Amino acid sequence: MDEKPKRPLQAVALRYAPREDEAPRLTAKGRGHIAEKIVELARRHGVPIRQDRNLVQVLSRLDLEQDIPPSVYRAVAEILAFVYRLSMERGGPQAGP
């Protein structure tokens, strides 16, 4: 039985502060150990995690602190809606700056 080699974990982190940012921006990216650390920190700080391998591949090509390109606005908007729903389920939106 042939087993495909496991791909190393790949992760990105986004930030979006509507009053400060024109668009969501990439704040962290990595694969392997670094990706594991990104996920660990997100969990530790209660940051929602969403898996989307295709979007991660696109976003990982960006430079850190770069605004996301318009071509992925829709996919990122879906993630922001997901995060907002989770926030509401946990007791309302968190206070922003």
Side-chain angles (χ1 to χ4, degrees):
M1 175 167 28
D2 284 337
E3 285 189 33
K4 289 183 181 180
K6 270 191 155 181
R7 290 184 189 176
L9 178 65
Q10 191 171 3
V12 297
L14 298 174
R15 168 200 144 148
Y16 182 55
R19 293 183 183 142
E20 299 172 31
D21 302 326
E22 289 184 26
R25 65 183 54 219
L26 185 72
T27 57
K29 66 179 180 175
R31 67 176 48 226
H33 178 70
I34 292 172
E36 291 170 10
K37 223 29 178 167
I38 291 168
V39 171
E40 175 189 328
L41 285 169
R43 285 189 176 126
R44 186 181 316 153
H45 294 281
V47 175
I49 298 170
R50 171 105 179 245
Q51 294 183 12
D52 185 328
R53 182 177 293 163
N54 294 330
L55 184 57
V56 167
Q57 288 177 350
V58 170
L59 294 176
S60 67
R61 294 183 198 132
L62 301 177
D63 292 328
L64 291 178
E65 296 302 322
Q66 182 177 348
D67 288 352
I68 64 162
S71 61
V72 294
Y73 278 3
R74 183 180 182 115
V76 171
E78 290 173 8
I79 291 170
L80 293 174
F82 165 78
V83 169
Y84 180 77
R85 281 192 305 274
L86 283 179
S87 175
M88 295 304 287
E89 290 171 6
R90 293 178 179 169
Q94 296 181 357

